[in-house]
Amino acid sequence: MKSSRELFEEFLCSEYPLWAPEAIQSAFFVGDDKTGYYRGCTHFYDGKSCDEALFWAWRGWQGSRTKGRG
């Protein structure tokens, strides 16, 4: 069975193929699926770092999976 993070990464890469695969590959994941986060993304898309987009996409994914219960 795939972890929540693996499912998230597959989903994000399928929805945003122009930036997500490289953003995920360039970032570091710190912690676990419940409290962890991506940081240090060095990928740029359309002149902007994907670091913040990756961080918030993951937080949104976590919230949608737990319905806001953390």
Side-chain angles (χ1 to χ4, degrees):
M1 186 166 150
K2 292 184 180 182
S3 71
S4 180
R5 185 164 51 113
E6 289 171 321
L7 293 171
F8 163 74
E9 290 177 356
E10 286 179 3
F11 165 78
L12 199 67
C13 289
S14 70
E15 291 292 312
Y16 303 100
L18 296 177
W19 66 269
E22 290 181 41
I24 289 168
Q25 187 172 7
S26 74
F28 298 97
F29 190 82
V30 179
D32 58 29
D33 277 6
K34 185 174 181 181
T35 61
Y37 55 93
Y38 291 90
R39 64 181 279 249
C41 175
T42 59
H43 181 69
F44 280 75
Y45 178 74
D46 199 22
K48 297 179 184 174
S49 170
C50 295
D51 195 38
E52 197 168 318
L54 188 56
F55 177 89
W56 289 111
W58 171 242
R59 287 294 192 222
W61 176 269
Q62 289 173 303
S64 72
R65 304 298 271 186
T66 61
K67 297 186 170 94
R69 293 187 293 265

